Amino acid sequence: MRIRNVDLNWDWCFGHGVTDYARDVNSVALDIQMRLKEWYNDCFFNLEQGIPWDIRLGSHNQKGLLDTDIYNTAESVEGVLNVFNFKSTLTGRQYICQFDVYTIYSTSTIPINFEGVF
């Protein structure tokens, strides 16, 4: 698997040839992070993609549904075999989750740390 890499500001990288792409294990981790940042109904060519962050963090008792959304999103990424050790906290509108991912590209796991303040 190969996807375009991003810089520290999450902007796509261009102009450096092959180094502008993430491959295999790194591409899976990057793809998970990018998909978790997507908002539902925000991408014009795929409106059903993404997480409804405004609903999940704007209403009470939505943490369980948000955990399920994130788990399902991570599990649906190409190359992911298993998601496990999922832990999350929600403080106000700050959501933090940590989980491990087992992929087809490695025998070791990838730790994913995601923090969203909305």
Side-chain angles (χ1 to χ4, degrees), residues 7-22:
D7 62 15
L8 296 175
N9 295 320
W10 287 92
D11 291 327
W12 284 338
C13 296
F14 293 99
H16 300 98
V18 178
T19 60
D20 286 334
Y21 293 91

Side-chain angles (χ1 to χ4, degrees), residues 79-97:
V80 172
L81 294 175
N82 193 10
V83 176
F84 57 98
N85 293 335
F86 189 90
K87 299 173 193 159
S88 68
T89 59
L90 177 62
T91 307
R93 292 179 63 89
Q94 180 180 15
Y95 180 82
I96 299 172
C97 70

Side-chain angles (χ1 to χ4, degrees), residues 39 52-63 66 90 92-94 118:
W39 286 62
W53 287 103
D54 54 342
I55 295 170
R56 297 294 185 243
L57 295 178
S59 304
H60 295 290
N61 301 323
Q62 296 281 316
K63 183 182 177 294
L66 180 56
L90 177 62
R93 292 179 63 89
Q94 180 180 15
F118 304 98

Side-chain angles (χ1 to χ4, degrees), residues 4-100:
R4 185 161 294 279
N5 213 344
V6 294
D7 62 15
L8 296 175
N9 295 320
W10 287 92
D11 291 327
W12 284 338
C13 296
F14 293 99
H16 300 98
V18 178
T19 60
D20 286 334
Y21 293 91
R23 293 180 161 266
D24 300 333
V25 173
N26 295 330
S27 67
V28 172
L30 181 59
D31 198 13
I32 291 171
Q33 291 283 348
M34 289 172 58
R35 287 185 188 211
L36 292 180
K37 291 179 180 289
E38 291 179 3
W39 286 62
Y40 178 77
N41 207 12
D42 189 45
C43 183
F44 71 92
F45 57 85
N46 192 359
L47 294 174
E48 299 299 316
Q49 188 69 24
I51 296 174
W53 287 103
D54 54 342
I55 295 170
R56 297 294 185 243
L57 295 178
S59 304
H60 295 290
N61 301 323
Q62 296 281 316
K63 183 182 177 294
L65 295 172
L66 180 56
D67 289 343
T68 302
D69 289 342
I70 288 180
Y71 186 89
N72 291 338
T73 299
E75 196 173 52
S76 70
V77 170
E78 179 183 338
V80 172
L81 294 175
N82 193 10
V83 176
F84 57 98
N85 293 335
F86 189 90
K87 299 173 193 159
S88 68
T89 59
L90 177 62
T91 307
R93 292 179 63 89
Q94 180 180 15
Y95 180 82
I96 299 172
C97 70
Q98 302 167 340
F99 54 92
D100 295 318

